[in-house]
Amino acid sequence: MRRISHFIQFLFAFPLIVSFLSCNTNSSKKQTKGETKTFVASLPVPEGYVRFTKDGSGAFSLSYPQTWSIGENSNPNVSVILIEPERVANFLTNLNVVVVGANQSVDEVFSQMTEDQMKEGMPADYRLIAKSKEKVNGKDCVKLVAGYSMPGNTIRQVQYIVVKEAASLYFITFSMDAERYQLEQSTMENIMNTLEF
C-alpha cells in the first residue's frame, strides 16, 4: 500500500512536468488516422474525433479531437500524451494517461486523495478545488479539480481516476490554462465518454 501511495504522489507531480513541457516545446507527432481495434465506445464518437488504442498490459481506448496530436513520451509509466494545438499564454492544453496495477475501490481511492498528499511535488500554491465520485461512460471514478501557477500561466488540472474491476487505476489528467477551463468542458466530457477497456 505504501508503494502505491508513493506512486500516486508521482502521478500528481507528473502532470506538472507535462505542463512544463507543454509550455516549452512544439515537438509532437501528428496522428492522422485513429487506430481501431477491438474496442467499441458505448457512446457515439463525436464527429471530428479519432481513436487511440493501447494494447497489452493496461489496455484502453479513447477518442480525441483530430486537431490534437500525440506528444513525444519517454516515460514508460505514461501510456499516452495528447496535446491540443492552440497555445494560450504559451501553454498547450494536454491530456496524459497513466495506468497503475492496484486493488482498490473507488471509495478507497476517494478517501486516500487528500489535498496534503496531492501537494507533494507540486507548486506551493497548488490547491484542490473539487473532489467527487462520479460515473463516466458507466465507469466508477474519482474526479479531482485542482489549480496552481506556473510562470505566465494559471493552470487548471482535471484528473479522473477510473477503477477497472478493482485491479487497475487509470489516471486520466487534463491540464490547461485556467482561461480555457470552461471552453474545454465539452472536450473533456467527449473524450471521457469514449473511454473503453
Side-chain angles (χ1 to χ4, degrees):
M1 193 61 120
R2 189 164 182 63
R3 185 178 72 82
I4 291 172
S5 177
H6 288 304
F7 192 75
I8 287 173
Q9 290 170 354
F10 158 78
L11 292 174
F12 288 102
F14 180 76
L16 177 63
I17 295 164
V18 172
S19 298
F20 178 76
L21 293 174
S22 294
C23 285
N24 296 305
T25 185
N26 286 324
S27 65
S28 61
K29 295 178 183 175
K30 183 73 173 172
Q31 181 176 358
T32 57
K33 184 177 179 185
E35 300 174 47
T36 307
K37 301 229 178 184
T38 58
F39 298 95
V40 178
S42 300
L43 297 175
V45 175
E47 187 174 328
Y49 278 57
V50 293
R51 199 86 179 142
F52 172 83
T53 299
K54 181 192 179 297
D55 291 320
S57 177
F60 69 94
S61 178
L62 56 74
S63 295
Y64 63 94
Q66 64 188 5
T67 57
W68 289 35
S69 58
I70 296 177
E72 291 186 24
N73 175 22
S74 59
N75 187 326
N77 295 314
V78 179
S79 298
V80 68
I81 299 171
L82 300 172
I83 302 171
E84 182 180 41
E86 187 175 334
R87 191 175 293 271
V88 174
N90 203 32
F91 188 84
L92 295 170
T93 296
N94 63 82
L95 154 74
N96 68 73
V97 179
V98 176
V99 182
V100 179
N103 188 13
Q104 293 182 295
S105 69
V106 167
D107 291 332
E108 291 169 321
V109 172
F110 187 82
S111 66
Q112 288 179 5
M113 297 295 124
T114 66
E115 185 169 23
D116 288 340
Q117 179 189 27
M118 292 182 286
K119 282 184 175 182
E120 292 185 32
M122 298 300 282
D125 68 341
Y126 179 93
R127 68 194 183 292
L128 182 62
I129 298 167
K131 175 180 166 183
S132 59
K133 287 190 255 184
E134 298 188 11
K135 279 201 179 283
V136 175
N137 199 13
K139 297 163 189 62
D140 292 326
C141 72
V142 173
K143 180 180 178 183
L144 306 169
V145 180
Y148 56 90
S149 297
M150 293 180 62
N153 296 90
T154 300
I155 304 303
R156 185 74 75 234
Q157 181 182 72
V158 180
Q159 185 167 62
Y160 294 88
I161 306 168
V162 184
V163 176
K164 179 185 176 190
E165 301 164 0
S168 297
L169 300 176
Y170 286 71
F171 290 78
I172 302 159
T173 307
F174 295 86
S175 299
M176 67 214 69
D177 188 272
E179 290 178 20
R180 294 204 50 90
Y181 179 66
Q182 291 303 321
L183 297 171
E184 298 291 358
Q185 291 296 313
S186 64
T187 301
M188 289 187 287
E189 289 173 14
N190 286 340
I191 291 171
M192 291 306 297
N193 282 329
T194 66
L195 177 67
E196 290 292 328
F197 301 123

